[in-house]
C-alpha cells in the first residue's frame, strides 16, 4: 500500500510509481465523530490487509496519526518511511521523522550525494547550502535561482506582484495561475499572504460583469480565482468524466469555475476533477495566489517566488527557508533583504516538540 499525508503528495506517488496511492486517512478508512475528530475503521482489531506499506512525506505526519497507522499494521507487515527531516515539522503534535532517525534504533538510508545533473541547478545546490548553514549563491544571473534586493516590505510586495503578473509570464511563458506560486513565511504584513492575495487577485482576476462572485467574511471569491482547500473534507462530492466520488484534501489547489447564487453553491476544478461546494463550506477555502510555506508542504510548483522581508522572529529560521526553496521545480526567485536571508540561514533553532517518542524508543524501553 502507498500513502501520504496529503492528497497532492499521494497523487505524486501515483504518478511516480504507477500504483495507486492515497492519503493516510483514507488508507485507514476514516470517519468523523460528532466533535469532528477522526475515528479510523482500520485499527488493531481490524488491521490493513498489506504485506508492505510505504509512507511518503513522513515529516508532515504528526504523532497521533502515526500511532493510528502503527495500530493498523498487521503482524509481519513491512513499513517503509520516506521523508526529509530538514523540512518543517508537522502542524500537529510531535516530530516523528526526526525522532525516529535521532533514536538510532532502526536502519536509515540518507541521500546526501548531489549528482552531476542536479549540480547544474542552483535550486538544488542552494537548498543544500541552506540546510548546511551556508548562504545561498544570490548573484548568479544565468541559472534557475535569482535574488532581487529590495529595501522595504512595500517594494518587496510590489516586485512580487510584478514578477507574477508580468515579468515571469513574459520571460518564460509561465501562467500566473497554473505555474507560479508565491510562498510567504507569514500571513501578516505587506509581504504576507493576506495582502499579496488581495494584490494578485486584483490584477490577475479583477471584478468583471462576466464573472459571478460571492463574499465570505472579508474575502471575495470570484469565478477564475485560484483557491486552496485548507482542511480534509471527505464529504464534498466530485466528478471526473463518468466517475463520481467524495473527498477534497488539505493542500489541494484548484480554480473556481462557476458560482451559482441561486443554489448557493460553487464548482472548483482540482487538477482532473470538479468538486461542488455549498457556500457554507467556503470557510474551508482560501485564495492561493500566495500561500504560507507551511501550507505549501507536499506541493511542488514550476516557479516559486519568496518575499523575504520583515519576517517575524518566530518564523525566521533555516528549515522554513529550506522548505520554501525546495518547493520550486524549475525557477526560484527571492525578493527582499539579503540580511533577512542570512538571519534565517543562521537560525537553526527547531520548534521544540515534547513528544517523548525518542525517550520511549531508547531510554524508556531500557527501563521497562
Amino acid at each position: 500500500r502507498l500513502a501520504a499525508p496529503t492528497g497532492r503528495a499521494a497523487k505524486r506517488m501515483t504518478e511516480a510509481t504507477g500504483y495507486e496511492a492515497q492519503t493516510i486517512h483514507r488508507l485507514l478508512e476514516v470517519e468523523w465523530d460528532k466533535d469532528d475528530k477522526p475515528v479510523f475503521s482500520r485499527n488493531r482489531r481490524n488491521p490493513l490487509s498489506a504485506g508492505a506499506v510505504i509512507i511518503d512525506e513522513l515529516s508532515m505526519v504528526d504523532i497521533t496519526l502515526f500511532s493510528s497507522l502503527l495500530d493498523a499494521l498487521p503482524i509481519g507487515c513491512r513499513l517503509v518511511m520516506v521523508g526529509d527531516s530538514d523540512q518543517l515539522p508537522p502542524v500537529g503534535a510531535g516530530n516523528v521523522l526526526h525522532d525516529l532517525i535521532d533514536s538510532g534504533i532502526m536502519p536509515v538510508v540518507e541521500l546526501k550525494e548531489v549528482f552531476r545533473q542536479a549540480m547544474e541547478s542552483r535550486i538544488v545546490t542552494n537548498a543544500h547550502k541552506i540546510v548546511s548553514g551556508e548562504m545561498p549563491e544570490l548573484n548568479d544571473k544565468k541559472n534557475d535561482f535569482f535574488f532581487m534586493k529590495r529595501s522595504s516590505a512595500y517594494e518587496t510586495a510590489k516586485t512580487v506582484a510584478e514578477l507574477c503578473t508580468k515579468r515571469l509570464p513574459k520571460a518564460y511563458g509561465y501562467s500566473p495561475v497554473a505555474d507560479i506560486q508565491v510562498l510567504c513565511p507569514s500571513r501578516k504584513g505587506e509581504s504576507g499572504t493576506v495582502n499579496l492575495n488581495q494584490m494578485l487577485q486584483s490584477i490577475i482576476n479583477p471584478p468583471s460583469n462576466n464573472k459571478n462572485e460571492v463574499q465570505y467574511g472579508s474575502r471575495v471569491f470570484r469565478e477564475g480565482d485560484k483557491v486552496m482547500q485548507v482542511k480534509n473534507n471527505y464529504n464534498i462530492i466530485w466528478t471526473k468524466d463518468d466517475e463520481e466520488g467524495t473527498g477534497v484534501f488539505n493542500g489541494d489547489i484548484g480554480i473556481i469555475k462557476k458560482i451559482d447564487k441561486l443554489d448557493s453553491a460553487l464548482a472548483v476544478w482540482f487538477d482532473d476533477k470538479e468538486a461542488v461546494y455549498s457556500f457554507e463550506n467556503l470557510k474551508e477555502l482560501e485564495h492561493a495566489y500566495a500561500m504560507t510555506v507551511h501550507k505549501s508542504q507536499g506541493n511542488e510548483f514550476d516557479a516559486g517566488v519568496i518575499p523575504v522581508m520583515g519576517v517575524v522572529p518566530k518564523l525566521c529560521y533555516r528549515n522554513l527557508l529550506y522548505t520554501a526553496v525546495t518547493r520550486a521545480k524549475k525557477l526560484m526567485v527571492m525578493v527582499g533583504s539579503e540580511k533577512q536571508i542570512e538571519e534565517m540561514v543562521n537560525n537553526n533553532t527547531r520548534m521544540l516538540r515534547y513528544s517523548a517518542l525518542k525517550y520511549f524508543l531508547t531510554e524508556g524501553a531500557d527501563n521497562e
Side-chain angles (χ1 to χ4, degrees), residues 12-168:
R12 288 209 315 274
M13 288 184 77
T14 299
E15 293 170 347
T17 65
Y19 293 90
E20 182 184 0
Q22 56 197 147
T23 65
I24 299 174
H25 283 80
R26 177 153 285 184
L27 175 70
L28 301 181
E29 299 177 14
V30 69
E31 295 179 356
W32 301 91
D33 65 16
K34 61 180 182 179
D35 298 319
D36 202 28
K37 293 182 179 180
V39 177
F40 299 109
S41 298
R42 294 293 185 172
N43 48 44
R44 293 181 183 180
R45 295 184 177 182
N46 183 30
L48 296 165
S49 56
V53 174
I54 302 175
I55 303 296
D56 194 14
E57 298 281 4
L58 190 68
S59 63
M60 298 176 65
V61 179
D62 64 39
I63 199 161
T64 303
L65 182 58
F66 187 65
S67 175
S68 297
L69 172 66
L70 295 182
D71 283 343
L73 295 181
I75 295 174
C77 178
R78 290 179 178 269
L79 177 63
V80 181
M81 298 167 285
V82 183
D84 184 347
S85 62
D86 291 310
Q87 299 281 345
L88 294 170
V91 175
N95 200 351
V96 173
L97 177 59
H98 183 264
D99 287 350
L100 288 174
I101 294 173
D102 212 27
S103 72
I105 68 166
M106 61 183 66
V108 175
V109 176
E110 189 172 2
L111 305 180
K112 286 189 172 182
E113 182 177 356
V114 181
F115 292 95
R116 187 175 64 183
Q117 296 93 328
M119 283 294 290
E120 298 173 0
S121 167
R122 280 293 181 195
I123 294 175
V124 174
T125 56
N126 278 338
H128 279 263
K129 282 178 176 290
I130 290 168
V131 84
S132 300
E134 303 174 34
M135 276 292 287
E137 173 57 59
L138 301 178
N139 298 316
D140 187 347
K141 304 298 183 182
K142 298 180 180 179
N143 213 288
D144 56 2
F145 190 109
F146 301 93
F147 171 67
M148 302 178 71
K149 186 176 180 179
R150 295 295 182 267
S151 59
S152 69
Y154 170 78
E155 290 180 353
T156 297
K158 182 180 177 182
T159 300
V160 168
E162 290 175 352
L163 284 166
C164 294
T165 60
K166 296 179 180 178
R167 297 189 188 187
L168 297 185

Side-chain angles (χ1 to χ4, degrees), residues 8 123 143-146 160 163-165 167-184 200 226 253 288-291 296 299-307 324-334:
R8 297 280 290 193
I123 294 175
N143 213 288
D144 56 2
F145 190 109
F146 301 93
V160 168
L163 284 166
C164 294
T165 60
R167 297 189 188 187
L168 297 185
K170 181 178 180 181
Y172 298 93
Y174 287 146
S175 162
V177 174
D179 303 320
I180 303 171
Q181 184 60 56
V182 179
L183 303 166
C184 303
L200 291 168
K226 181 179 181 179
I253 300 170
Y289 302 103
M291 68 178 68
S296 74
N299 292 309
E300 289 182 328
F301 312 96
D302 283 346
V305 181
I306 309 174
V325 169
T326 55
R327 298 307 91 201
K329 295 189 291 185
K330 298 179 181 179
L331 181 69
M332 170 54 66
V333 185
M334 286 187 179

Side-chain angles (χ1 to χ4, degrees), residues 160-221:
V160 168
E162 290 175 352
L163 284 166
C164 294
T165 60
K166 296 179 180 178
R167 297 189 188 187
L168 297 185
K170 181 178 180 181
Y172 298 93
Y174 287 146
S175 162
V177 174
D179 303 320
I180 303 171
Q181 184 60 56
V182 179
L183 303 166
C184 303
S186 173
R187 296 174 60 89
K188 300 178 180 179
E190 286 191 89
S191 56
T193 60
V194 175
N195 183 56
L196 282 170
N197 269 318
Q198 291 176 349
M199 290 180 64
L200 291 168
Q201 183 193 37
S202 68
I203 301 170
I204 297 171
N205 192 34
S208 169
N209 292 331
N210 299 321
K211 296 178 180 178
N212 290 326
E213 61 182 47
V214 59
Q215 183 159 352
Y216 186 86
S218 61
R219 300 194 297 269
V220 175
F221 292 98

